[in-house]
């Protein structure tokens, strides 16, 4: 019996979904961590990869062979260090799954762990690049209220949640 382990596969840009489907069609156990988001542009994808261009596959390299994972459609190849495939422990995969679940339960990555007074950065719109303080999530919507320093005073602004990110 060969040893099974988790390995990281790097996809070509924006080809994670196709690579995941291909690996599953090959009957491989794949973990592709994604988050449901609410983009500012309604035509944008509502599912975003947690690790853009990377997925995890649980397999035995002795059974499948390195070349089978090196030359996959839509893939750059398996992540290696010093020419050896780098296994990822079950504990790390478990922790990623746990954190993805916690993020989804809290309303997505924008709100995870944010509390009043936390520093955020505005990432989209006319004020992109400005820092602000998170004030609150507006109930029943995907909007947030932030406090922006303008002309020596704090101004309350309401933004779409996808327009902010946690800042240092």
């Amino acid at each position: 019996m060969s040893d099974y382990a988790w390995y990281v596969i790097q996809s070509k840009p924006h080809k994670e979904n196709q690579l995941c489907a291909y690996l599953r069609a090959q009957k491989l156990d794949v973990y592709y961590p994604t988050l449901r988001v609410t983009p500012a542009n309604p035509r944008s994808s509502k599912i975003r990869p947690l690790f853009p261009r990377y997925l995890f596959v649980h397999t035995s390299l002795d059974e499948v062979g390195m070349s089978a994972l090196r030359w996959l459609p839509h893939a750059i190849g398996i992540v290696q260090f010093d020419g050896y495939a780098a296994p990822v422990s079950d504990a790390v995969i478990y922790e990623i799954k746990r954190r993805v679940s916690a993020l989804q339960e809290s309303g997505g990555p924008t709100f995870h762990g944010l509390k009043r007074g936390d520093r955020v950065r505005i990432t989209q719109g006319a004020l992109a690049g400005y820092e602000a303080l998170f004030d609150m999530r507006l109930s029943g919507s995907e909007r947030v209220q932030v406090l922006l320093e303008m002309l020596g005073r704090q101004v309350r602004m309401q933004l779409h949640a996808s327009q902010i990110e946690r800042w240092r």
Side-chain angles (χ1 to χ4, degrees):
M1 177 87 174
S2 299
D3 290 331
Y4 276 71
W6 287 98
Y7 296 95
V8 181
I9 307 249
Q10 185 178 14
S11 78
K12 292 180 180 173
H14 309 291
K15 297 295 182 185
E16 299 94 341
N17 289 326
Q18 293 92 328
L19 178 57
C20 184
Y22 178 82
L23 290 167
R24 287 185 175 144
Q26 302 302 312
K27 307 283 191 251
L28 292 171
D29 186 9
V30 180
Y31 179 49
Y32 173 40
T34 59
L35 297 171
R36 181 166 295 282
V37 296
T38 306
N41 180 347
R43 293 179 300 224
S44 294
S45 175
K46 291 173 182 34
I47 303 291
R48 298 259 170 85
L50 184 62
F51 305 111
R53 299 184 62 195
Y54 294 95
L55 329 104
F56 301 92
V57 64
H58 191 242
T59 191
S60 167
L61 291 182
D62 293 336
E63 289 179 19
V64 173
M66 274 294 289
S67 62
L69 297 177
R70 190 176 288 148
W71 307 109
L72 293 167
H74 311 294
I76 292 174
I78 193 165
V79 174
Q80 299 180 38
F81 296 101
D82 292 329
Y84 295 98
V88 177
S89 75
D90 288 341
V92 169
I93 298 298
Y94 173 81
E95 184 62 20
I96 293 170
K97 288 180 179 181
R98 188 188 70 71
R99 288 186 183 195
V100 166
S101 178
L103 278 171
Q104 293 296 52
E105 288 174 13
S106 71
T110 300
F111 301 114
H112 184 68
L114 277 180
K115 51 191 179 306
R116 180 171 273 157
D118 285 349
R119 289 176 44 179
V120 295
R121 184 170 66 106
I122 301 171
T123 59
Q124 299 173 25
L127 298 172
Y130 282 89
E131 291 182 31
L133 297 178
F134 181 80
D135 190 29
M136 70 172 101
R137 177 181 184 176
L138 301 175
S139 70
S141 75
E142 293 294 325
R143 299 187 65 75
V144 295
Q145 183 168 286
V146 299
L147 303 173
L148 185 65
E149 182 80 26
M150 295 185 100
L151 303 173
R153 61 183 206 155
Q154 288 186 334
V155 177
R156 292 184 196 285
M157 297 190 64
Q158 294 182 5
L159 301 168
H160 193 277
S162 65
Q163 293 180 282
I164 65 167
E165 68 182 7
R166 179 185 299 276
W167 196 240
R168 304 184 225 331

